[in-house]
Amino acid sequence: MAVKIQTAQGAIEIENDVIATIVGGAVTDNYGVVGMASQNPLRDGVNQILNGDSFSKGVVVRQQDGGVTVDVHIIVGYGLKISEISKSVQARVKNDLNVMLGIVASSVNVTVQGVRILGD
């Protein structure tokens, strides 16, 4: 399912894989985030860290009337404040979607799927 944006010149459709790639890049650039995790860990491997080609497995995008809702599944570093990392992820994802695609994210839900020791 694509996100549809109506403009005066016509309609724009942005595929979820494009949004997932941008969201994945925004998420993994945050300090304390070790990587992205799959939204279905039993099928894709428990706490397997996703690479850039499979960010769509860790991101769920839903279009609603007020904007777009994004669910992100992450793995964080051990010993760091999870609430601060999550707030940083939310702010970065909202900003990047707005700046790069002109999409307003009404909410960004962060699910921490695991904790890893930094450096492993």
Side-chain angles (χ1 to χ4, degrees):
M1 184 175 127
V3 173
K4 296 176 182 161
I5 302 170
Q6 189 64 38
T7 66
Q9 291 81 22
I12 300 170
E13 291 187 19
I14 302 171
E15 292 294 325
N16 284 351
D17 287 342
V18 173
I19 296 171
T21 301
I22 291 172
V23 169
V27 168
T28 54
D29 279 348
N30 278 286
Y31 176 76
V33 175
V34 175
M36 303 234 357
S38 173
Q39 61 182 331
N40 190 352
L42 296 177
R43 183 187 67 203
D44 298 327
V46 176
N47 292 341
Q48 175 186 1
I49 296 177
L50 302 175
N51 60 19
D53 296 336
S54 58
F55 280 155
S56 61
K57 291 181 181 179
V59 177
V60 178
V61 180
R62 294 184 304 276
Q63 185 172 13
Q64 298 174 339
D65 294 335
V68 174
T69 299
V70 180
D71 297 333
V72 179
H73 302 268
I74 63 172
I75 298 173
V76 298
Y78 177 79
L80 302 173
K81 194 167 184 180
I82 294 173
S83 63
E84 291 301 320
I85 295 170
S86 298
K87 287 177 190 175
S88 175
V89 166
Q90 289 173 325
R92 180 75 185 266
V93 167
K94 282 185 174 186
N95 182 58
D96 282 8
L97 286 177
N98 192 18
V99 169
M100 291 183 193
L101 300 176
I103 295 175
V104 176
S106 57
S107 67
V108 176
N109 304 313
V110 177
T111 303
V112 178
Q113 298 262 140
V115 178
R116 294 263 173 99
I117 296 174
L118 293 175
D120 284 354

